Amino acid sequence: MSDGRALAREFLEQQKLLGGNPVILPALPGGEMRDAGGVAPQPPAPAPPAATHPASRIPHPRLPPAGLSYDPPGGDLFSADPLQQAASLDAVATLVAACTKCRLCEGRRHTVPGEGPGDARLVVVGEGPGRVEDETGRPFVGQAGELLTKILAAIQLRREQVFICNVVKCRPPENRVPQYDEIAACLPYLFRQIDLLKPRAILAMGGTAAQTLLNTKQSLGALRNQIHRFRGIPVIVTYHPAALLRNPNWKKPTWDDVRIARRLLD
Ligand code: URA
């Protein structure tokens, strides 16, 4: 399934949900997505003055006003994108290993694409690799990872049954929060992984994972304890295990959240 148009539609719908008006798709790698957001699907209209209006901000008069259903007339804009051709999680990981789409590649020792079975029912999404993850190339293997393993055990899941990954696949320096352009560059990998996995549920741990998957700026507190959707897949939001290590008061709400996730799997 390498339908770039479906992907573009998804991005555009997400941008619309975000309240973006007009649609803006900034800072995506290679500019493909940006083009998808701004290029007219119909025969070209007179070119607007590009110097004063970035292409992505020009609402094209022939674009349908609502719904953002988008089918370019000729060919698939993204058919040359190797990520959309990646037919397995391993193939995605191989592309990640060679990725230089953002500055995080400069300081990494290993990429951390994520790991778990291809038929996992649950996908756990964290923020980004930490030190131990960067050293090993494996997600959630440091202290936060140990707590994650316990959290999963509390809902009768072994770590090996779950696909565990992060929003960004390379360690941000000093474990800082990934920046917007880093997330934007890396996000297609996560989206492709989720497309391939087709899980029953996604557990977004921490604000970065939640806000990225749900394309919102709402706080974690406002997002947790309910069921959201990403491309039709239920998303549960809860605290990041590293946050739990700092603040044990969040353990009880975290159990409540992961129990919701558990119910979605059964
Ligand atoms: N924190 C994360 O968000 N991800 C990891 O893989 C490890 C720690």
Side-chain angles (χ1 to χ4, degrees):
M1 207 282 293
S2 63
D3 189 346
R5 282 167 295 184
L7 188 66
R9 207 175 296 123
E10 190 81 36
F11 266 96
L12 292 169
E13 276 163 10
Q14 285 206 1
Q15 293 295 323
K16 189 179 165 227
L17 286 174
L18 187 63
N21 176 34
V23 172
I24 300 165
L25 296 172
L28 280 156
E32 300 101 324
M33 291 305 174
R34 193 180 357 240
D35 292 347
V39 167
Q42 299 296 324
T52 50
H53 303 282
S56 61
R57 290 172 182 272
I58 298 161
H60 193 281
R62 290 175 197 253
L63 276 175
L68 292 169
S69 171
Y70 176 69
D71 282 300
D76 185 334
L77 279 176
F78 311 121
S79 57
D81 181 350
L83 182 56
Q84 297 318 312
Q85 308 293 328
S88 69
L89 295 165
D90 282 349
V92 176
T94 300
L95 292 172
V96 169
C99 183
T100 55
K101 288 184 190 293
C102 87
R103 66 185 77 80
L104 295 184
C105 70
E106 291 162 16
R108 75 183 174 212
R109 294 177 63 179
H110 293 96
T111 54
V112 185
E115 66 184 24
D119 62 354
R121 286 174 299 165
L122 181 67
V123 172
V124 170
V125 182
E127 180 174 285
R131 183 179 55 81
V132 187
E133 290 78 16
D134 176 64
E135 283 169 4
T136 59
R138 299 184 56 208
F140 279 102
V141 289
Q143 248 197 323
E146 284 172 32
L147 182 52
L148 172 60
T149 302
K150 288 181 192 162
I151 292 169
L152 293 173
I155 53 170
Q156 290 83 49
L157 287 173
R158 281 176 293 112
R159 199 191 139 92
E160 298 74 33
Q161 295 175 286
V162 175
F163 192 85
I164 300 173
C165 61
N166 288 296
V167 170
V168 296
K169 312 302 193 188
C170 297
R171 183 193 185 196
E174 322 297 334
N175 295 342
R176 66 160 169 74
V177 176
Q179 293 172 5
Y180 182 82
D181 59 328
E182 296 158 357
I183 293 175
C186 210
L187 208 46
Y189 297 117
L190 176 63
F191 287 2
R192 185 72 188 134
Q193 288 173 317
I194 293 172
D195 271 352
L196 290 166
L197 285 155
K198 301 191 188 351
R200 297 248 192 108
I202 298 170
L203 180 62
M205 303 197 88
T208 299
Q211 293 177 347
T212 300
L213 279 169
L214 302 175
N215 204 353
T216 178
K217 293 185 173 161
Q218 283 190 276
S219 71
L220 188 129
L223 294 169
R224 58 162 296 273
N225 196 30
Q226 52 186 300
I227 301 175
H228 307 269
R229 300 247 162 208
F230 171 82
R231 301 186 179 178
I233 301 164
V235 176
I236 301 302
V237 169
T238 198
Y239 294 101
H240 192 285
L244 291 186
L245 290 170
R246 295 191 300 270
N247 191 340
N249 290 336
W250 285 334
K251 281 192 177 172
K252 167 72 170 71
T254 301
W255 302 147
D256 293 340
D257 293 328
V258 297
R259 273 201 296 270
I260 301 174
R262 174 74 233 187
R263 284 205 303 276
L264 292 168
L265 303 182
D266 298 325

